[in-house]
């Protein structure tokens, strides 16, 4: 009797197992897989464009699949509804047209009798232009400015080769340029090639496409190659004693330290690789803002541009003008001026689960910082300066900042960009000024071989503030077990680290290098104009 029960249990178990296996197999095999190709379409008014909806199913089960489209009133989709019955693979061609310019998202609404999976990218980005010929003109402009920017370095290389000399070419410009281009190339290559980082980008931009395409990678890598050719010439041809200045060495060292810190945080999973790539893009942006200043200063000091290939700059200027022309042309043709400066959403629409990042103490600190700096500048106007004044490089940088502020404010007032984007622009200026503002003082101390007149207590308090800022972030991360929050605010962390490093430099100058020389007053020299 007992053996019969065992046989019965075993038989039931076997049957249930077969049924379960059959169900699992059936559910797996009956799952539909869908994707859309291509995801980016460009068309013009009264013109149609096509994309394909690919449906894969390899089961003997009959699938009932109904698809409609989530679109705006100005978009027409044909067929507007799709019904699929059966298990064969389907390649459904869909036509779209629009009666209005702009950017639109087309998404399928799916009702299925069987489970289905997709790549998480079931949508189409549709760009509708006013005139189709302008699309071709825009494409030609894009390739033209890419060629201008690409071949520019060869004119400088040819000039140096013909003269067998690099006298007149600023080494500071070359090294700042290659630092920025290396960061830019890394950003493009990694974001283009890494599926892992691309998926993170898609999570943050659900209806976005990878902003890096193949020609971006080619241009960035070639830019590094061109810079290496020019730097190689600096070592094989006559340089006339030209070298990389101390200020630029310190600046590049700061970049290396900052990138190393964020790279370490990324490896330790305190921030995402995509954020690290964004840091590299900020380095590229900041080097672009300052890399031309050394060459301009060298030309001014030499009262000559001999050895500096003006063809390079003419091509670069033509490329910049064509790039701006393409942006304006596309903005008008697609009626999409927001694409020039970014999306128009408010802060909470961009960060639906975020809190306002500005609180009361932030306002108090910022306003008081302006008051304190203004008071110090007022003293510079009424007290003895020893011939010290604002250097021409600093005036140039400030002038560039003012132009950026005026341009972005005008765009915001005209409704071309949102005021939130204007505020972000001001924050980027703050970030860039913090990264370079310490160099003139450190360089002046070096030139004077003294820190007389420089209040070290200011730096000690700044050092304490930086340490407490980082300490607060570490304590909060440990207390809430949220170490990713440090990577989530990389600007605050980076500025804290950068300030601490320069505070240590000033302390080293004051207490060790020039300690005895501070007993006597030393005459002030111009800080940023080496002879």
């Amino acid at each position: 009797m007992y053996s019969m029960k065992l046989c019965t249990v075993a038989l039931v178990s076997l049957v249930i197992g077969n049924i379960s296996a059959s169900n699992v197999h059936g559910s797996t095999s009956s799952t539909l897989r869908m994707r859309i190709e291509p995801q980016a379409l460009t068309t013009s008014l009264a013109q149609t464009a096509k994309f394909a909806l690919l449906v894969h199913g390899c089961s003997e089960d009959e699938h009932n699949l109904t698809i409609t489209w989530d679109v705006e009133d100005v978009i027409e989709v044909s067929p507007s509804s799709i019904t699929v019955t059966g298990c064969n693979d389907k390649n459904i061609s869909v036509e779209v047209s629009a009666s209005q310019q702009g950017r639109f998202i087309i998404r399928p609404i799916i009702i299925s009798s069987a489970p289905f999976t997709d790549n998480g990218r079931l949508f189409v980005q549709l760009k509708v232009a006013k005139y189709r010929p302008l699309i071709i003109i825009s494409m030609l402009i894009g390739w033209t400015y890419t060629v201008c920017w690409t071949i520019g370095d060869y004119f400088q290389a040819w000039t140096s080769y013909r003269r067998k000399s690099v006298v007149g070419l600023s080494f500071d410009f070359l090294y700042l340029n290659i630092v920025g281009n290396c960061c830019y190339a890394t950003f493009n290559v990694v974001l283009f090639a890494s599926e892992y980082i691309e998926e993170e980008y898609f999570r943050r931009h659900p209806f976005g496409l990878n902003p890096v395409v193949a020609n971006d990678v080619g241009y960035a890598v070639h830019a590094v190659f061109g810079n290496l050719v020019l730097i190689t010439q600096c070592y094989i041809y006559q340089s006339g004693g030209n070298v990389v200045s101390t200020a630029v060495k310190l600046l590049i060292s700061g970049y290396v330290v900052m990138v190393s810190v964020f790279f370490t945080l990324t490896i330790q999973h305190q921030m995402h690789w995509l954020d690290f790539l964004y840091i590299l893009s900020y380095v590229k942006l900041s080097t672009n803002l300052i890399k031309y200043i050394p060459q301009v200063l060298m030309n001014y000091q030499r009262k000559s541009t001999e050895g500096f290939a003006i063809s390079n700059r003419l091509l670069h200027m033509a490329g910049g003008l064509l790039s701006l022309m393409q942006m304006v042309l596309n903005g008008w043709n697609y009626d999409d001026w927001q694409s020039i400066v970014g999306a128009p959403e408010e802060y909470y629409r961009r960060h639906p689960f975020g809190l306002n990042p500005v609180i009361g103490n932030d306002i108090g600190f910022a306003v008081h910082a302006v008051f304190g700096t203004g008071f110090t500048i007022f003293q510079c106007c009424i007290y003895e300066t020893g011939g010290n004044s604002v250097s021409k490089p600093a005036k140039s940088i400030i002038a560039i900042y003012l132009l950026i502020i005026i341009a972005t404010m005008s765009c915001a007032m005209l409704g071309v960009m949102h005021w939130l984007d204007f505020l972000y622009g001001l924050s980027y200026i703050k970030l860039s000024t913090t990264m370079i503002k310490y160099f003139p003082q450190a360089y002046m101390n070096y030139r004077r071989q003294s820190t007389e007149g420089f209040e070290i207590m200011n730096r000690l308090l700044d050092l304490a503030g930086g340490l407490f800022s980082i300490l607060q972030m570490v304590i909060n991360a440990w207390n809430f077990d949220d170490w990713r929050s440090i990577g989530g605010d990389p600007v605050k962390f980076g500025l804290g680290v950068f300030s601490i490093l320069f505070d240590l430099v000033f302390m080293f100058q004051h207490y060790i290098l020039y300690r005895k020389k501070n007993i006597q007053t030393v005459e002030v020299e111009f800080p940023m104009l080496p002879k």
Side-chain angles (χ1 to χ4, degrees), residues 32-36 53-56 65 67 110 112 116-120 122:
L32 297 175
R33 300 186 305 276
M34 286 179 281
R35 71 178 190 276
I36 289 178
L53 175 64
L54 307 178
V55 182
H56 299 280
L65 182 67
I67 301 173
I110 302 171
S112 175
F116 65 89
T117 61
D118 59 74
N119 58 0
L122 280 181

Side-chain angles (χ1 to χ4, degrees), residues 341-353:
V341 292
E345 292 84 5
E346 297 283 354
Y347 180 83
Y348 288 116
R349 295 181 63 184
R350 303 184 193 187
H351 310 278
F353 300 105

